[in-house]
């Protein structure tokens, strides 16, 4: 089983920056690779939305509201995806979730799966 663990959330003032990290890990004996990875967020009382995605080839997409402020990147050697968030606004406040399309080729679970992290809280406030 492949699990995603986010970190880096917290409280920041408007105009500040945060960097979120999401690392994929698996039980011993599991062989896997990650295709498209992305970050989603869910503000209080609102639906979850896609924030940014990055393919295995490095192609990226962003929701219009974060273009020019957020940057998604990945380190394939570390099975980790990052979201650098600059010029943060109050409306960026949300629980941020990591998502990944995983291909498991070894271990007890073999196949193509989608996985979600547990979520990390980002609060932008004075």
């Amino acid at each position: 089983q492949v699990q995603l663990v986010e970190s880096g959330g917290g409280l920041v003032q408007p105009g500040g920056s945060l960097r979120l990290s999401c690392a994929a890990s698996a039980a011993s004996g599991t062989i896997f690779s990650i295709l498209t990875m992305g970050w989603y967020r869910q503000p209080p009382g609102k639906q979850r939305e896609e924030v940014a995605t990055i393919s295995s080839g490095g192609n990226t997409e962003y929701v219009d509201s974060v273009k020019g402020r957020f940057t998604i990147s990945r380190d394939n050697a570390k099975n980790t995806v990052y979201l650098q968030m600059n010029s943060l606004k109050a409306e960026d406040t949300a629980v941020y979730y990591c998502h990944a399309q995983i291909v498991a080729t070894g271990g007890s679970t073999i196949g193509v799966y989608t996985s979600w992290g547990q979520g990390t809280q980002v609060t932008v406030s004075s």
Side-chain angles (χ1 to χ4, degrees):
Q1 182 179 18
V2 178
Q3 295 182 313
L4 306 178
V5 180
E6 303 103 331
S7 62
L11 175 65
V12 65
Q13 294 184 341
S17 299
L18 284 174
R19 190 176 82 151
L20 306 183
S21 298
C22 173
S25 62
S28 179
T30 301
I31 302 174
F32 71 95
S33 61
I34 303 175
L35 301 178
T36 299
M37 294 187 288
W39 289 94
Y40 294 70
R41 68 185 181 187
Q42 187 166 15
K46 299 181 66 177
Q47 61 186 319
R48 187 176 299 186
E49 69 171 346
E50 183 179 278
V51 178
T53 62
I54 182 168
S55 71
S56 59
N59 296 316
T60 60
E61 290 188 348
Y62 300 91
V63 66
D64 287 343
S65 61
V66 309
K67 289 181 178 177
R69 300 188 297 119
F70 291 11
T71 302
I72 187 170
S73 61
R74 62 191 287 172
D75 185 334
N76 292 328
K78 297 181 179 179
N79 291 319
T80 301
V81 62
Y82 306 93
L83 185 67
Q84 179 67 46
M85 304 184 293
N86 298 326
S87 301
L88 283 162
K89 305 174 181 179
E91 51 262 44
D92 294 319
T93 296
V95 177
Y96 284 70
Y97 298 90
C98 178
H99 178 266
Q101 183 181 23
I102 297 171
V103 179
T105 57
S108 61
T109 303
I110 298 176
V112 180
Y113 307 93
T114 57
S115 296
W116 290 91
Q118 82 285 355
T120 185
Q121 177 71 49
V122 172
T123 302
V124 184
S125 176
S126 297

